[in-house]
Amino acid sequence: MRNIYDIIIIGTGIAGLSAAIFLKEAGLNVLVLTKEDKIEETNTNFAQGGIIAWKEGDDPDKLAEDIMKAGCYYNNKRAVEIFSKEAPELVFEFFINKLEMEFTKTNEGKLNYTEEAAHSSRRILHYQDHTGDKIQSALISYANKIGLKILRSHTTVDIITNNHHSSDCQELYKLREVMGLYVLDNLKAEIESFFSHYVILATGGIGNLYQHTTNQPFATGDGLSMAHRAGADIINAEFVQFHPTSLFHKDIKRFLISESLRGEGAKLIDHNGRQFMSDYSDLKELAPRDVVSRAIYEEMRRSGKEYMLLDITSYYKGDIPIRDRFSKIYETCKKGGIDITRQPIPIVPAAHYFCGGIKVDIHGRTSLKNLYAIGETSCTGLHGANRLASSSLLEGLFWAKKAAEDISTNFEKITKERFDTVPDWLTPRYTEEFDPILLEQDWRAIQLTMWNYAGIIRTIKRLDRAKSDLEYFAHRIFKFYKEAVLTRQIIELRNGIISAGIIVNAASHNSRSIGCHYIKK
Ligand code: SIN
């Protein structure tokens, strides 16, 4: 007998787990899947800066204006409006009151709101620079408390739709509808069918497509790629946000140096100690991320140096000692031989956040029936052409709530007879064990291509070159995918090359520089 869930959610970051909690508490039968062996392996867990939250005297219109300004007014006004009005209070309602999560307090015992670039007021709550891991563990504890079913080490291969997979040809003539997922059990190396009335993609971003990134290797564009294959609309894929400051260190990779350091006074300097940001923007260190990233990139190019420096030693304006306020950064840099209280930190910009994604409406509904997308993999248009700092954790939580409300209010079942028309996965006849060297080389090729040709500064020529190189890699990877015994690594590589193609294609079709899509003429 086939097990049919009400909802399957892929992803265990803030968006996935929050949606699962809301839906389970609404009385629905929810299953959460993650390809990881550990539930906490998510980009949420690595977030440092903080989360926009309600604050006495702050005005939703001001927040909306900050989001729109950072996004170059390319944003979806409706998404910005509801987010600015409704979302900030959720931090209190959900994290502080329901999950009983702690945020850093001032010496007087009040919540310590911090500042980040392009915010017109201090409205960001944080737990030192461990906001992400604190949120992740609060979500996991609550999920355990309510008995949420989470399957680890399960990598989704493809979304099941009636049009693509049903054996009843009449389903071809119906509206495309999502009915579940084909999923690889990483440990058993078997592909199972998981059926459900709804699917929510909360699979995170695409950072691993770039040579330098603040993301972990699991950010391979899985949701974007599988939604694209199922036929869902994708928008704004040219807008990949680069974070100005990731640690430059020979042994420590993919480590973010939070924007909140600049919010608390840190200055960007070159190798002669010169502060250079005033050459690029009146907002200096607190200009939007695209401006700061390009300034650092330009200074690196001009000086021929591989990195620039961020100095907090004598500029810090906070009350809490640096090593407590930024304990994660302090400890990590210390391990790498850098004392941030005494020395400037070597930094480079790195791919950080995907502002585009699977097109969704304000309820998180994609263009396919029964398929929702939330968090970084989705695009409500909230961020426009560039994202305002510390908005992504709140975005994940807010659209988790919106999607859960929409599903539980309009819940409809697919009949058992229709599920029965979908066959199980057919394993191909020719099967080859994968060669890890080939796989690694393919990833390197994608990452270098994206970094050099579709990175911080793009040109039409570079994008053309990226397109033809990616097509060549794709041809090889798809052949490999068809003939190989499926593993998580091959599934991720296929998702990665498809997502890279989506980004380059979108970038090539937008000849206008705007926000984090910058085309040099
Ligand atoms: C940071 O701490 O700089 C990252 C916060 C964000 O990306 O919103």
Side-chain angles (χ1 to χ4, degrees):
M1 246 263 299
R2 282 170 150 180
N3 210 352
I4 298 166
Y5 292 92
D6 289 336
I7 297 116
I8 303 178
I9 299 169
I10 315 176
T12 55
I14 188 168
L17 285 186
S18 307
I21 290 169
F22 289 126
L23 286 159
K24 173 133 173 97
E25 292 194 332
L28 294 165
N29 176 16
V30 184
L31 172 69
V32 182
L33 299 175
T34 169
K35 64 183 180 180
E36 299 298 329
D37 302 335
K38 292 188 184 147
I39 299 170
E40 64 273 24
E41 284 295 322
T42 69
N43 264 342
T44 296
N45 200 34
F46 291 86
Q48 293 176 5
I51 183 163
I52 292 173
W54 178 88
K55 188 181 161 198
E56 181 92 59
D58 197 9
D59 175 355
D61 291 344
K62 275 201 200 151
L63 172 58
E65 177 55 21
D66 292 348
I67 295 172
M68 299 281 290
K69 200 167 168 191
C72 305
Y73 300 92
Y74 200 76
N75 320 57
N76 175 358
K77 280 191 198 153
R78 179 83 188 108
V80 174
E81 191 183 288
I82 59 164
F83 177 85
S84 307
K85 274 206 183 108
E86 299 171 27
E89 277 182 19
L90 262 186
V91 176
F92 288 82
E93 211 177 278
F94 189 75
F95 285 124
I96 298 182
N97 299 337
K98 188 181 174 80
L99 270 55
E100 296 175 351
M101 198 192 132
E102 219 188 307
F103 288 95
T104 294
K105 300 229 169 83
T106 60
N107 295 335
E108 293 79 48
K110 295 194 178 133
L111 284 166
N112 180 254
Y113 288 88
T114 193
E115 185 170 350
E116 288 198 16
H119 281 273
S120 57
S121 74
R122 295 176 76 94
R123 54 163 80 95
I124 296 156
L125 286 185
H126 62 99
Y127 182 79
Q128 301 173 0
D129 55 357
H130 283 266
T131 315
D133 51 80
K134 199 73 180 162
I135 285 181
Q136 187 74 54
S137 55
L139 284 165
I140 295 175
S141 306
Y142 195 84
N144 289 338
K145 189 164 120 189
I146 62 169
L148 196 64
K149 184 165 180 189
I150 305 178
L151 278 186
R152 289 171 289 167
S153 313
H154 277 70
T155 309
T156 305
V157 182
D158 263 321
I159 294 170
I160 297 174
T161 78
N162 59 336
N163 293 173
H164 289 103
H165 300 101
S166 173
S167 57
D168 175 0
C169 69
Q170 294 311 308
E171 292 287 350
L172 262 180
Y173 307 106
K174 293 186 183 158
L175 188 71
R176 187 163 300 173
E177 210 171 319
V178 166
M179 303 175 79
L181 304 162
Y182 289 123
V183 180
L184 173 77
D185 179 330
N186 302 352
L187 307 177
K188 286 199 207 144
E190 280 168 13
I191 294 172
E192 300 166 31
S193 313
F194 282 81
F195 293 102
S196 61
H197 304 289
Y198 294 85
V199 168
I200 302 181
L201 300 174
T203 47
I206 51 89
N208 196 54
L209 305 187
Y210 284 86
Q211 188 191 8
H212 298 290
T213 177
T214 59
N215 292 190
Q216 298 305 303
F218 49 70
T220 50
D222 299 337
L224 182 75
S225 172
M226 67 178 95
H228 173 71
R229 291 196 297 274
D233 293 341
I234 309 288
I235 51 166
N236 290 359
E238 64 272 45
F239 300 118
V240 176
Q241 181 177 71
F242 293 85
H243 196 290
T245 57
S246 75
L247 181 65
F248 180 87
H249 193 278
K250 69 178 178 25
D251 301 321
I252 307 168
K253 305 288 172 213
R254 301 170 185 265
F255 186 70
L256 177 71
I257 303 294
S258 174
E259 186 147 324
S260 45
L261 267 87
R262 280 177 283 131
E264 297 294 351
K267 302 287 178 218
L268 283 160
I269 54 172
D270 67 14
H271 290 246
N272 298 317
R274 185 182 70 92
Q275 292 180 23
F276 56 80
M277 272 315 297
S278 55
D279 297 352
Y280 298 89
S281 166
D282 292 343
L283 294 171
K284 300 182 190 163
E285 275 73 10
L286 296 184
R289 285 182 182 171
D290 59 314
V291 176
V292 184
S293 295
R294 281 196 296 277
I296 297 171
Y297 194 81
E298 178 56 21
E299 290 294 320
M300 283 163 56
R301 191 197 61 77
R302 245 198 339 224
S303 60
K305 302 283 184 199
E306 281 187 285
Y307 60 90
M308 287 289 124
L309 296 149
L310 183 70
D311 188 358
I312 196 163
T313 55
S314 48
Y315 301 109
Y316 181 54
K317 53 184 193 196
D319 305 331
I320 307 165
I322 293 181
R323 59 167 74 184
D324 297 331
R325 171 64 185 87
F326 298 109
S327 56
K328 187 178 198 158
I329 295 173
Y330 176 79
E331 294 300 338
T332 308
C333 289
K334 198 80 206 277
K335 278 189 202 136
I338 304 155
D339 179 350
I340 70 166
T341 64
R342 292 162 186 269
Q343 294 164 265
I345 311 166
I347 51 88
V348 277
H352 183 59
Y353 191 87
F354 190 42
C355 301
I358 306 162
K359 184 178 180 182
V360 293
D361 66 9
I362 53 160
H363 305 286
R365 293 188 284 229
T366 71
S367 58
L368 299 186
K369 191 162 185 260
N370 310 333
L371 182 69
Y372 287 68
I374 53 178
E376 190 173 352
T377 194
S378 69
C379 182
T380 56
L382 173 71
H383 307 304
N386 196 10
R387 181 176 68 89
L388 181 69
S390 285
S391 55
S392 55
L393 291 170
L394 189 57
E395 175 196 23
L397 171 63
F398 182 61
W399 267 285
K401 182 159 186 271
K402 285 273 163 209
E405 279 169 359
D406 196 65
I407 293 174
S408 39
T409 314
N410 303 305
F411 192 79
E412 269 179 31
K413 286 192 172 209
I414 300 172
T415 62
K416 179 182 170 305
E417 292 68 34
R418 291 183 66 214
F419 281 119
D420 285 343
T421 67
V422 177
D424 286 325
W425 181 265
L426 285 180
T427 304
R429 259 184 313 139
Y430 311 105
T431 48
E432 197 187 296
E433 292 294 329
F434 87 88
D435 176 349
I437 297 288
L438 296 185
L439 201 96
E440 202 184 307
Q441 175 62 23
D442 281 337
W443 266 119
R444 286 221 181 120
I446 296 172
Q447 288 163 340
L448 263 180
T449 304
M450 294 301 282
W451 183 254
N452 288 325
Y453 301 155
I456 297 173
I457 296 190
R458 301 162 174 177
T459 67
I460 295 294
K461 257 197 174 151
R462 289 179 196 170
L463 289 168
D464 280 349
R465 173 76 75 86
K467 227 171 158 174
S468 52
D469 287 359
L470 291 174
E471 273 164 22
Y472 174 69
F473 307 147
H475 172 76
R476 222 169 45 199
I477 292 168
F478 294 158
K479 187 166 177 295
F480 188 34
Y481 169 83
K482 278 198 191 125
E483 292 169 357
V485 179
L486 280 193
T487 61
R488 166 182 167 174
Q489 287 77 8
I490 293 171
I491 295 167
E492 287 180 324
L493 180 63
R494 177 194 185 216
N495 288 337
I497 187 75
I498 292 174
S499 298
I502 293 171
I503 294 167
V504 168
N505 201 34
S508 314
H509 281 94
N510 187 353
S511 57
R512 174 175 157 224
S513 286
I514 174 166
C516 48
H517 170 60
Y518 186 81
I519 297 240
K520 198 166 135 193
K521 300 275 182 216

